[in-house]
Amino acid sequence: MSVQVPKPDHCIDLGVGQPDPALLPTALFSDLAVGWQDLAYGEHAGDRGFRQHLAHWLSGEYQTPVEPQQLFVTTGSSGGLDMICSRLARPGDVVLVEEPSYFLALMQLVEHGLKPVAVPMDRDGLEPAALEQAIRQHRPAFIYSIPTYHNPTGITQSRARREALVALARQYDCPLVADEVYQCLYFAEPPPPPLACFDPQAPVLSIGSFSKILAPGLRLGWLHGSGEVLGRLLGSALLKSGGGLAPVTSALVNPLIEQGALQSYIAGLRQTFRARRDCLHDSLSAALGGQLELNRPDGGYFLWAHLRDGRDIRAHEPRCRALGVAVKAGPLFSVRGGFRSSLRLCFAWYDEAQLRAGAERLARALDGGY
Amino acid sequence: MSVQVPKPDHCIDLGVGQPDPALLPTALFSDLAVGWQDLAYGEHAGDRGFRQHLAHWLSGEYQTPVEPQQLFVTTGSSGGLDMICSRLARPGDVVLVEEPSYFLALMQLVEHGLKPVAVPMDRDGLEPAALEQAIRQHRPAFIYSIPTYHNPTGITQSRARREALVALARQYDCPLVADEVYQCLYFAEPPPPPLACFDPQAPVLSIGSFSKILAPGLRLGWLHGSGEVLGRLLGSALLKSGGGLAPVTSALVNPLIEQGALQSYIAGLRQTFRARRDCLHDSLSAALGGQLELNRPDGGYFLWAHLRDGRDIRAHEPRCRALGVAVKAGPLFSVRGGFRSSLRLCFAWYDEAQLRAGAERLARALDGGY
């Protein structure tokens, strides 16, 4: 076996938003078997037994009933978004996105010829009045939102805000695609349920994934939604030709859900990531509190920080490189080139010692000025 | 575990082009383990070690060198075609296809807003003169061809024909996408190598898959090509976000290639399918020789048959249903509604006793007239 993607040797890259390889639950995957049913072409929506276990687990997790027929098993969140881009939109269409938003989702939209148009956020997430105005103005193919532990800002939409957004999706019959891959990674209270839980008549698709809570190499995730909009994906020729998207990988994960191993593993991740969030936050505050405004997200993977003096973070990049540290610069997350003084920092990929070392290096790089 | 897609109870469906579940190599998947490297985000092109083993095996299989850097690991042939449709074409573009062609590929093209335009075949496959004329007339986004044990006709392009088609792709800088999922299922002599083996400078992508030679539930395949056209796919934001498409499933298959278990399994399939081809062919010839013109393909999954009296096969469908047999009617494979007297029959899904029973039922259905 070869290392598929190694960590860099001489740089603590706080820009990388991946789970720590050292935390991957290898032991859960050490004694596997799949049956002939899993080796054959599978049900289009995903294996029924797997969807039953997944729905049961999610119902408890969300404190809201989820039915197996509301779930479509995918090849992870980016695979799900890819199908949405090619099946629910056509090149030239507008997609409304948060400003800022997940940079690789923005790239995926552009790659499909779609035009991301920014809608502002407030401390409760996407602003409904601005969203409604943008829907009327642009008639978008869909809205792409990150409701929980937003990437990069860490903001979580309140329950009332979720209700308002879902109501708009229904009123304008505009699909609302919610990227909820951090939903289960809460550090204290669980967040409000995913957008797909609010109104079964609304065209809402919640994107879920095992990448951040189990193992990205599985390329396994799900779409959660109901009615017409899910049906448009399930009727795809891709599924008619290839069958379900993940018979074998879902069979590997099925017993982990059924026996509770997934749930135990996630509980451990919450503890670990909470401690890592505190570690990175406190290290940076201690070293750079005067220069850096920092959030303290209630879950997820990322801190979102701002240089108080308004300088462009990209001007610091050569010095960061020289000192062996990296971050993701704010403009990457903006369709307008905004957030020039902002940076995203991931606390999931490294352990606490490395996070402290990364924070020290970053402090030296930023202190050094231009 | 639940049965993902069962065979129908009361019908021998010779239309289904799937491997026989009874032949799936469950024993090869009974003692699996994957390491942390496989659980992490993977290399965009696919795990390097896996591509090395895959390249080594294919080089022997094709009697032509295949390099790991010419391979991109995908989620099966339909997943590969889906990426090609969304990355190498835009809605409204023409795609040149054989007449007839694989019906679900045609559906996939249409689903992406592409316009399949038919190019005729002769006994050696796609006609170069007609293809050149169509390239000049339509400026297609790409050409979709099935060079070996063509679905549905069973035709295999000669070596000279392959050279001519690849030369046209290069001359007009028009991507040539070759669906080669039956390449390894030869019953006597191996076919000429896949189109991607002929000219590393030509924009050719050969689609390979483990679905027909190991297990479709893996959703594992590859694209084989070189240079710019493969690079356009490898630069995709889908990969930047999700990493390689199949780290875990490729890790499951890797030891099977390395240890030769895949190769032994395929050798067995060739024997089994040759016997099944003979069984279905001979049963139909004996029962319907006067009415049915039949091919005898050198490999693959399908017989292609024609009603000698020119009647429309679809008129027989109610009687087929009543007698418990089904076929795929020719017009499904045509962009023009042609081949009304033709039918595709799969000899891979059923064992010999069932094939004989299916042939008898079909004979009774067709004998009964309208």
Side-chain angles (χ1 to χ4, degrees), chain A residues 1-5 18-19 21 24 26 29-43 47 49 78-79 82 86-87 90-91 102 104 107-108 111-113 211-212 215-219 236-238 240-242 244-245 247-249 252, chain B residues 1-5 18-19 21 24 26 29-43 47 49 78-79 82 86-87 90-91 102 104 107-108 111-113 211-212 215-219 236-238 240-242 244-245 247-249 252:
Chain A
M1 240 158 339
S2 62
V3 175
Q4 295 202 321
V5 177
Q18 299 188 7
L24 291 170
T26 315
F29 293 92
S30 63
D31 184 23
L32 307 170
V34 293
W36 69 264
Q37 300 93 333
D38 312 309
L39 296 175
Y41 285 106
E43 277 188 79
D47 179 63
S78 43
D82 212 70
S86 58
R87 268 69 183 188
R90 278 289 175 251
Y102 172 43
L104 290 171
M107 281 180 61
Q108 239 182 304
E111 189 170 298
H112 281 275
S211 291
K212 301 298 194 257
L218 290 164
R219 307 312 311 130
S236 163
L238 174 68
K240 290 190 173 77
S241 178
L245 299 174
V248 162
T249 49
L252 299 181
Chain B
M1 243 160 334
S2 63
V3 174
Q4 295 201 320
V5 176
Q18 299 189 7
L24 290 169
T26 314
F29 292 92
S30 63
D31 184 22
L32 306 172
V34 293
W36 69 265
Q37 300 95 333
D38 312 309
L39 295 175
Y41 285 105
E43 276 188 80
D47 179 63
S78 43
D82 212 68
S86 57
R87 267 71 184 187
R90 279 289 175 250
Y102 172 44
L104 290 171
M107 282 180 62
Q108 240 183 302
E111 189 170 298
H112 281 275
S211 291
K212 302 297 194 257
L218 290 164
R219 308 313 310 132
S236 164
L238 174 67
K240 290 190 173 79
S241 179
L245 299 174
V248 163
T249 48
L252 299 181

Side-chain angles (χ1 to χ4, degrees), chain A:
Chain A
M1 240 158 339
S2 62
V3 175
Q4 295 202 321
V5 177
K7 283 186 185 173
D9 278 340
H10 303 296
C11 177
I12 295 180
D13 191 345
L14 299 171
V16 172
Q18 299 188 7
D20 184 351
L23 296 178
L24 291 170
T26 315
L28 298 183
F29 293 92
S30 63
D31 184 23
L32 307 170
V34 293
W36 69 264
Q37 300 93 333
D38 312 309
L39 296 175
Y41 285 106
E43 277 188 79
H44 290 188
D47 179 63
R48 195 172 308 248
F50 176 69
R51 283 184 292 122
Q52 281 165 351
H53 289 130
L54 181 59
H56 182 76
W57 166 57
L58 293 177
S59 299
E61 191 60 41
Y62 301 161
Q63 294 292 303
T64 306
V66 177
E67 303 296 332
Q69 63 271 21
Q70 295 178 296
L71 298 174
F72 166 32
V73 180
T74 66
T75 56
S77 65
S78 43
L81 181 59
D82 212 70
M83 251 189 113
I84 289 167
C85 287
S86 58
R87 268 69 183 188
L88 301 188
R90 278 289 175 251
D93 284 354
V94 162
V95 175
L96 299 180
V97 300
E98 283 141 357
E99 172 76 356
S101 185
Y102 172 43
F103 70 106
L104 290 171
L106 297 178
M107 281 180 61
Q108 239 182 304
L109 299 176
V110 169
E111 189 170 298
H112 281 275
L114 307 177
K115 295 178 185 160
V117 168
V119 178
M121 302 170 74
D122 61 21
R123 55 194 293 177
D124 267 350
L126 202 53
E127 287 182 25
L131 180 65
E132 180 163 16
Q133 191 186 358
I135 293 173
R136 286 167 174 269
Q137 184 182 343
H138 296 288
R139 299 279 154 197
F142 62 89
I143 303 153
Y144 172 78
S145 172
I146 308 169
T148 303
Y149 316 131
H150 177 267
N151 180 357
T153 67
I155 290 171
T156 293
Q157 293 168 2
S158 66
R159 185 177 282 268
R161 179 59 57 91
R162 289 169 197 246
E163 285 166 356
L165 298 176
V166 170
L168 284 174
R170 180 166 176 178
Q171 181 185 341
Y172 290 96
D173 194 25
C174 177
L176 173 53
V177 176
D179 188 340
E180 323 228 27
V181 300
Y182 302 105
Q183 176 76 23
C184 297
L185 291 178
Y186 48 85
F187 301 153
E189 289 303 299
L195 296 190
C197 292
F198 284 81
D199 176 359
Q201 302 303 313
V204 178
L205 289 175
S206 285
I207 298 179
S209 170
F210 289 98
S211 291
K212 301 298 194 257
I213 55 174
L214 187 63
L218 290 164
R219 307 312 311 130
L220 185 65
W222 65 90
L223 293 174
H224 169 199
S226 52
E228 191 265 341
V229 67
L230 199 62
R232 281 165 72 186
L233 301 178
L234 284 170
S236 163
L238 174 68
L239 300 168
K240 290 190 173 77
S241 178
L245 299 174
V248 162
T249 49
S250 63
L252 299 181
V253 173
N254 200 24
L256 305 184
I257 300 179
E258 195 180 0
Q259 295 156 18
L262 172 71
Q263 295 84 325
S264 306
Y265 177 68
I266 294 173
L269 284 184
R270 289 180 191 131
Q271 304 292 329
T272 303
F273 290 153
R274 182 169 57 190
R276 290 183 177 190
R277 173 204 61 182
D278 291 342
C279 171
L280 184 61
H281 181 277
D282 297 350
S283 304
L284 288 169
S285 288
L288 282 165
Q291 292 181 59
L292 210 59
E293 187 194 326
L294 268 176
N295 72 342
R296 194 185 188 93
D298 298 325
Y301 261 38
F302 304 111
L303 301 186
W304 182 234
H306 314 279
L307 297 174
R308 289 190 199 273
D309 63 5
R311 290 186 302 182
D312 191 321
I313 182 66
R314 290 169 296 187
H316 294 280
E317 282 176 354
R319 206 166 142 77
C320 283
R321 255 197 308 279
L323 289 165
V325 66
V327 302
K328 284 278 184 287
L332 204 54
F333 302 88
S334 170
V335 299
R336 300 169 177 156
F339 303 101
R340 294 189 308 158
S341 303
S342 304
L343 48 159
R344 192 195 75 175
L345 301 155
C346 175
F347 49 78
W349 209 36
Y350 288 104
D351 65 24
E352 295 182 39
Q354 290 167 308
L355 290 174
R356 271 191 293 273
E360 280 163 27
R361 292 183 193 180
L362 186 61
R364 284 168 56 207
L366 296 183
D367 263 345
Y370 288 91

Side-chain angles (χ1 to χ4, degrees), chain B residues 301-315:
Chain B
Y301 261 38
F302 304 111
L303 301 186
W304 182 236
H306 314 279
L307 297 173
R308 290 188 197 276
D309 62 8
R311 289 186 303 181
D312 191 322
I313 182 66
R314 290 168 297 187

